[in-house]
Amino acid sequence: MPVLPSMVYSPVSDQPVSDRPIIGWPTIGRPTIGRPTIGRPTIGRIATGFPALDAALDGGWPTGTLTELLVPGQGSGELGLLSPALARLTTTTNATLAGTGSWVMLIAPPWIPYAPGLCWQGIALDRVLIVRVRQSPETLWAMEETLRSGTCAGVIAWAGTTARHQARDTQLQRLHLLAGKQQAWAILIRAARCRRERSPARLRLQLHCPSPTTLQLDIFKNGWRGTGTVTVERRF
């Protein structure tokens, strides 16, 4: 099975991530040259698990488009915020996968997700894959190739939350177009300093942690509804 260069794959588990590639997960192809020709995508919705946030987002997280979530630093509660949607994707019956849930990919998380915590949130671990990268620029490339493969219903990537790597406009545009082509739930997690940068993402939110038990979401770009601020419970 081909392995992406400079990367290590592992399913979520309570054991340390090994340096051996896992066997039997959807293969991601090599990069193709040229800009994809993609029509206007259809926007779907995945319930966020937080009624106030669902109302602000017109029914839930959008699929078929790129969403940016800006965080103040590593481990700011973003995975807990996204966990209800991950649970729905990994447990909802998918006819094309023999009645199992859909695959989701976590790319370059700043820590190894705690498996018992994910189980407690209702996430099916056998449908979750992790990609580790050795250099920050590889994160966007891995996300692009995952979306291009069309094998994952959800892709969450941590890019530049600490490093000073800047995403080019062309990279973000390709991610946006590929998310639309594959009708994927695509979340790009970036540092709060990226708020000043331009982005093709139709939904951009900034995460704040006002207390140990709450998260505050500043929706500063929303292609469907107005902007605003929503406070939700912090899961973990």
Side-chain angles (χ1 to χ4, degrees):
M1 181 192 72
V3 179
L4 296 179
S6 303
M7 298 183 186
V8 178
Y9 305 88
S10 172
V12 174
S13 72
D14 54 3
Q15 300 297 324
V17 176
S18 70
D19 288 337
R20 295 178 55 193
I22 66 170
I23 298 174
W25 69 285
T27 301
I28 298 177
R30 295 183 178 277
T32 58
I33 298 175
R35 192 171 185 174
T37 303
I38 300 172
R40 187 177 183 87
T42 301
I43 304 301
R45 298 286 169 177
I46 302 175
T48 67
F50 304 95
L53 186 56
D54 282 340
L57 298 182
D58 199 21
W61 297 113
T63 63
T65 187
L66 179 65
T67 294
E68 280 192 16
L69 178 62
L70 308 184
V71 298
Q74 294 184 357
S76 301
E78 65 271 17
L79 192 55
L81 173 69
L82 302 173
S83 63
L86 285 172
R88 285 179 172 83
L89 283 178
T90 59
T91 58
T92 301
T93 299
N94 188 323
T96 63
L97 294 172
T100 63
S102 300
W103 289 102
V104 297
M105 181 82 81
L106 308 182
I107 300 173
W111 21 251
I112 300 175
Y114 183 56
L118 297 184
C119 285
W120 185 74
Q121 293 292 328
I123 298 171
L125 298 187
D126 60 346
R127 310 309 297 177
V128 179
L129 300 165
I130 292 178
V131 174
R132 292 194 302 167
V133 301
R134 294 188 174 92
Q135 297 179 6
S136 182
E138 293 174 336
T139 301
L140 295 180
W141 181 83
M143 186 178 192
E144 181 179 336
E145 289 305 299
T146 303
L147 290 171
R148 194 186 304 279
S149 73
T151 54
C152 293
V155 185
I156 301 173
W158 284 256
T161 55
T162 57
R164 293 190 174 274
H165 171 69
Q166 289 190 337
R168 297 192 299 270
D169 288 344
T170 53
Q171 290 177 301
L172 297 178
Q173 186 66 27
R174 285 199 301 269
L175 294 176
H176 174 66
L177 292 173
L178 286 167
K181 180 181 180 180
Q182 306 295 355
Q183 287 300 293
W185 181 46
I187 304 289
L188 182 61
I189 299 173
R190 307 175 71 194
R193 60 179 172 77
C194 297
R195 178 167 179 158
R196 297 186 297 271
E197 299 178 10
R198 294 194 310 170
S199 171
R202 294 186 66 184
L203 178 62
R204 303 185 77 195
L205 312 90
Q206 185 168 353
L207 181 65
H208 302 277
C209 307
S211 77
T213 59
T214 60
L215 297 174
Q216 189 177 74
L217 287 162
D218 176 14
I219 306 169
F220 63 94
K221 180 181 179 182
N222 188 348
W224 302 274
R225 285 201 171 189
T227 58
T229 302
V230 178
T231 300
V232 300
E233 172 193 5
R234 180 167 183 162
R235 299 291 176 88
F236 61 87

